[in-house]
Amino acid sequence: MATERLPMRKSREILRLKWAEGRRHRQIARALQVSVGTVSGVVRAAADAGLDWERVTALSEAELEGAIYGTARRALRTPLPEPAAMDLELKKPEVTLQLLHVEYRERHPDGYGYTQFCEHYRRWKRTQRVVMRQVHRAGEKLFTDFAGRTPHWIDPGTGEVHEAELFVAVLGASNLTYAEALESQRVPHWIAAHTRAVEYCAGVPAMVVPDQLKAAVTGPCRYEPRIQRTFEEWAQHYGTVILPARPAHPRDKAKVEAGVLVAERWILARLRHQRFFSLGELNGRIAELLEALNARVMRRYGKSRRALFDELERGALRALPEQRFTYAEWTRVKVSIDYHVQVDHAYYSVPYRLVGARLDARCAAATVELFHHGERVAAHARAGRRGQYRTDAAHMPSAHRQHHDWSPSRLIAWAAKIGPSTAALVEAILADRPHPEQGYRSCLGIMRLARGYGAERLEAAAARALAARARSYKHVESILKHGLDRLPARPTAAPSSTTPPAAAHEHIRGKDYYH
C-alpha cells in the first residue's frame, strides 16, 4: 500500500523513536497518534531508500520527503488517478469517491489506499480557480439570474434607445448556458424566459435556483422565502422545485455568477460595435453567439459545454410536459351580493352560495378561473371590454329567489324611503340589466351616496338622472359631486314640427344633464 504522507516533523520523529530509541511500532503509534500501518510504511520507505538514523539527521525536510515518499511511489510504480476525470464522474448521479476508489483498485490492485486517493483529488480541487462548495449532480440544478450589464436596441422610427435585461441560466453539472434579452425583469418576462430555458435544454432539472429578486420571491427570507404564486405554479407544471439562493450568499449560485460573467465577456462584449433595431433582432444575434459559447472547449475539462451536456445531463433531465405553461396572474377577490367578482374592470359570476366569500382568481390571456379553498368553482372566457358581465345561468338562484337577505324588491323598498325618484331610478337600473342581480352593485353604490350626501340631495340627483336617462351609479355620483342636484331643472322645450324627437337611449343624456 502507499505510504500515508505525513508532515516531515512527524516522519522524522517516527524514525528517531524507531532507530535511535528502539521503540516498538505500537508504542510509536500511540505516542504520535498515528496508525501502526503508517509507522511501518515510513520505516519501510526509509529503509528502502538506504537511510539510517545518522543519515536522516543530516537531511533537510525536503530531502527527507523526497527520499521517503519518492521511493514509495517508485516502488509502487502505480499511476495516479486523473482528478479532472474523477471530477466529471462525480457529477453523475449516485457516484461517490468511495465507488471511484473501488473501481481504481480493480484496475490497480497495488494502487493507492482510500485516504491517499481522496487526498490526491482534494489537493487538485483546491488548486482550481473557482471554489465550489456543492457537488453538482447531472440534471439536478438550473441556476438563473440577470446580468448586471444590459444590452440595448434602437427604435428605428424615433431613434429611442431601449435598454433590455440579459437573462442567464446555467446547468450545474455541464455548465450548458442559456441567455436571452428581455424587455424587463417583470414576472411575465421572467416566467417566459424560464420556459424557453428548459426548452433549450430539452428537459427539466430537479431544482431551479434563482436569486431572491421580486419576480421570483414575494417574501424574501434566508430560511423560508415565499415564492411568487405564478412562478410556483410554473414549477408545478414542469415538475420541478424552486430553491432560491440565500441572500448575500453568492456561492449558493456560483454557477450562474460565473455564467453571467462568461455571457458578458463572450456575448455582450461581442455586441459592443453592433446596432439592433428590434428586440427580436438582438436576440437573434445572441442566439448565434450562445451556440458558439456552448461549443467552445473548456480548458478545465478539455470538452465543450455542449459535449458535457450530451454526455452527462441530457439523459438525466426530466421530460418536458406535453403542454407549454400558460401564463396567468393570481389575485384575491371578494364575491359581491350579485354573486359576481370584479377582475380587471369586468365582472364574472360564481355560485350564489359564495356571496361574501374571498376567492383566488387566476387570470390568463383567454380565461378567468375562480378558486375557493383550492377548488375551482367557476371558469369564464375573459371579457373583451371594461364593465362587461360574464354570467353563468347555473350560478344564479333559481327564479332569482331572495338570497342572503337581498332581492330587487328589498332594494326598491329601501330606495322608496329616500323618495319616489330614487325608487324609480333603482327600479330602472334593475330593469335595464339582463338579470336583476347585475344591477345590485350599482344600487349598493347609490346606497353609500346617501350616507355622504344625505337623502334630500340624493333624491334630487335621482330625479335629474331619470330626466337625463342616466341609469348608473357613476352618473348619480357625478351629479352630486358637481352640485348639479342643487340647480333648478329647466323645462324641456316642445319639439318642433320639423325636428323628430330624440330616440330614447341610455347613452343620450340630454341637455338638462349638463346644467
Side-chain angles (χ1 to χ4, degrees):
M1 293 181 60
T3 304
E4 181 180 355
R5 183 179 293 271
L6 296 174
M8 282 301 99
R9 176 184 56 80
K10 189 166 285 190
S11 298
R12 190 185 296 271
E13 185 65 8
I14 289 174
L15 297 176
R16 185 187 71 82
L17 292 175
K18 182 62 180 177
W19 287 343
E21 301 294 333
R23 302 294 182 182
R24 296 194 301 271
H25 285 192
R26 290 188 182 278
Q27 291 175 328
I28 297 173
R30 283 197 300 268
L32 299 181
Q33 296 183 343
V34 296
S35 67
V36 175
T38 297
V39 174
S40 299
V42 171
V43 173
R44 183 173 60 251
D48 290 341
L51 299 178
D52 56 24
W53 178 239
E54 184 177 352
R55 292 182 181 179
V56 169
T57 57
L59 295 176
S60 67
E61 289 194 358
E63 292 170 337
L64 181 60
E65 181 179 19
I68 295 176
Y69 297 109
T71 302
R73 282 198 293 269
R74 285 195 300 272
L76 285 170
R77 297 185 181 276
T78 301
L80 290 167
E82 177 55 49
M86 292 170 60
D87 197 53
L88 288 178
E89 289 297 315
L90 286 171
K91 295 178 182 296
K92 298 178 179 179
E94 312 304 330
V95 177
T96 64
L97 276 171
Q98 188 173 16
L99 175 62
L100 293 179
H101 179 253
V102 170
E103 294 174 347
Y104 166 76
R105 290 299 292 268
E106 288 174 352
R107 296 191 301 271
H108 307 289
D110 296 329
Y112 285 86
Y114 180 67
T115 301
Q116 282 293 94
F117 181 86
C118 294
E119 181 60 25
H120 172 66
Y121 170 72
R122 287 166 183 151
R123 279 199 305 270
W124 174 84
K125 195 72 171 175
R126 287 193 293 268
T127 64
Q128 302 308 298
R129 182 180 59 176
V130 179
V131 177
M132 294 184 296
R133 290 187 177 271
Q134 310 118 324
V135 175
H136 298 292
R137 304 291 185 186
E140 185 180 45
K141 293 179 181 178
L142 177 72
F143 299 84
T144 61
D145 201 357
F146 284 103
R149 293 177 54 200
T150 58
H152 63 271
W153 58 278
I154 303 170
D155 188 326
T158 64
E160 181 182 0
V161 177
H162 296 271
E163 295 292 334
E165 300 288 343
L166 185 67
F167 171 83
V168 179
V170 180
L171 282 171
S174 64
N175 292 307
L176 186 76
T177 302
Y178 174 77
E180 70 165 300
L182 304 178
E183 292 182 24
S184 72
Q185 294 189 13
R186 293 191 300 111
V187 177
H189 302 134
W190 171 257
I191 299 293
H194 278 78
T195 299
R196 290 188 286 270
V198 295
E199 290 175 351
Y200 180 81
C201 298
V204 184
M207 288 179 281
V208 175
V209 183
D211 201 0
Q212 292 201 21
L213 70 166
K214 291 183 178 180
V217 175
T218 56
C221 178
R222 176 175 180 176
Y223 303 104
E224 294 181 352
R226 187 166 62 252
I227 309 300
Q228 200 275 341
R229 181 73 179 270
T230 306
F231 195 27
E232 185 177 33
E233 186 184 17
W234 177 90
Q236 293 170 357
H237 178 81
Y238 284 99
T240 187
V241 176
I242 307 299
L243 185 67
R246 294 171 296 172
H249 282 70
R251 285 187 178 176
D252 284 4
K253 54 185 180 69
K255 280 286 183 178
V256 76
E257 294 284 348
V260 165
L261 182 61
V262 169
E264 289 177 344
R265 289 177 176 175
W266 292 96
I267 295 179
L268 292 188
R270 298 284 297 276
L271 303 178
R272 67 189 187 280
H273 298 310
Q274 302 178 40
R275 293 195 302 172
F276 304 94
F277 297 98
S278 70
L279 186 63
E281 185 181 348
L282 172 61
N283 274 322
R285 179 57 177 152
I286 289 176
E288 294 174 1
L289 295 174
L290 183 64
E291 289 304 314
L293 170 64
N294 285 323
R296 290 183 70 250
V297 175
M298 295 183 289
R299 286 181 294 177
R300 179 176 181 178
Y301 297 115
K303 297 181 180 180
S304 69
R305 291 171 173 81
R306 177 66 67 182
L308 286 177
F309 171 74
D310 292 336
E311 178 183 334
L312 294 174
E313 293 203 277
R314 183 181 294 277
L317 296 174
R318 301 175 183 179
L320 292 167
E322 294 182 2
Q323 300 292 331
R324 200 181 200 191
F325 177 72
T326 302
Y327 177 81
E329 294 181 351
W330 290 85
T331 186
R332 193 79 168 159
V333 294
K334 185 177 180 180
V335 184
S336 183
I337 63 166
D338 61 355
Y339 55 87
H340 284 70
V341 298
Q342 181 177 349
V343 178
D344 195 21
H345 306 291
Y347 304 94
Y348 303 88
S349 69
V350 299
Y352 73 93
R353 291 179 292 275
L354 295 175
V355 167
R358 291 195 175 275
L359 308 180
D360 292 313
R362 182 180 185 273
C363 310
T367 59
V368 172
E369 298 172 280
L370 298 156
F371 296 83
H372 185 235
H373 297 314
E375 180 182 355
R376 192 174 76 170
V377 295
H380 297 274
R382 191 151 186 173
R385 64 178 186 274
R386 293 168 66 97
Q388 185 176 2
Y389 276 82
R390 294 290 192 189
T391 305
D392 187 339
H395 296 159
M396 299 178 180
S398 59
H400 302 292
R401 292 191 304 258
Q402 178 175 333
H403 57 87
H404 287 270
D405 299 327
W406 290 98
S407 66
S409 59
R410 182 187 175 188
L411 290 171
I412 295 171
W414 165 81
K417 295 179 181 179
I418 303 297
S421 296
T422 306
L425 177 61
V426 168
E427 188 171 2
I429 289 174
L430 296 175
D432 194 47
R433 305 299 194 268
H435 303 287
E437 285 82 349
Q438 293 179 349
Y440 284 2
R441 198 182 297 266
S442 294
C443 296
L444 285 177
I446 294 172
M447 180 189 299
R448 294 189 181 94
L449 292 176
R451 301 173 188 172
Y453 293 97
E456 183 177 352
R457 290 194 62 190
L458 178 58
E459 175 67 10
R464 182 174 286 273
L466 283 171
R469 298 182 181 275
R471 300 171 184 172
S472 72
Y473 159 79
K474 288 187 177 180
H475 287 117
V476 178
E477 181 192 37
S478 180
I479 291 171
L480 291 169
K481 183 177 180 180
H482 294 91
L484 300 181
D485 57 292
R486 292 171 172 164
L487 299 178
R490 292 185 178 182
T492 304
S496 63
S497 58
T498 59
T499 304
H505 193 278
E506 62 176 319
H507 298 302
I508 300 178
R509 300 171 181 169
K511 62 181 180 179
D512 291 339
Y513 174 77
Y514 299 97
H515 293 163

